[in-house]
Short mmCIF file of all heavy atoms in Angstrom, two decimals:
data_model
loop_
_atom_site.label_atom_id
_atom_site.label_comp_id
_atom_site.label_asym_id
_atom_site.label_seq_id
_atom_site.Cartn_x
_atom_site.Cartn_y
_atom_site.Cartn_z
N SER C 1185 -16.02 -22.01 4.75
CA SER C 1185 -15.45 -20.97 4.01
C SER C 1185 -14.79 -19.89 4.75
O SER C 1185 -14.08 -19.00 4.26
CB SER C 1185 -16.51 -20.36 3.09
OG SER C 1185 -17.69 -19.87 3.96
N LEU C 1275 17.97 -26.32 14.31
CA LEU C 1275 17.64 -24.91 14.46
C LEU C 1275 18.87 -24.04 14.50
O LEU C 1275 20.00 -24.62 14.90
CB LEU C 1275 16.73 -24.68 15.63
CG LEU C 1275 15.35 -25.33 15.61
CD1 LEU C 1275 14.60 -25.02 16.87
CD2 LEU C 1275 14.54 -24.93 14.40
N HIS C 1495 -24.07 -23.78 26.54
CA HIS C 1495 -24.43 -23.73 27.99
C HIS C 1495 -25.24 -22.37 28.17
O HIS C 1495 -26.30 -22.35 28.89
CB HIS C 1495 -23.19 -23.90 28.78
CG HIS C 1495 -23.38 -23.83 30.25
ND1 HIS C 1495 -23.76 -22.75 31.03
CD2 HIS C 1495 -23.29 -24.85 31.22
CE1 HIS C 1495 -23.87 -23.07 32.26
NE2 HIS C 1495 -23.62 -24.37 32.42
N ILE C 1520 -8.90 -9.02 30.18
CA ILE C 1520 -8.04 -10.23 30.27
C ILE C 1520 -6.92 -10.02 29.15
O ILE C 1520 -7.10 -10.46 28.11
CB ILE C 1520 -8.93 -11.52 30.00
CG1 ILE C 1520 -10.19 -11.44 30.68
CG2 ILE C 1520 -8.11 -12.77 30.34
CD1 ILE C 1520 -11.14 -12.52 30.31
#
Side-chain angles (χ1 to χ4, degrees):
Chain C
S1185 55
L1275 297 180
H1495 185 285
I1520 314 167

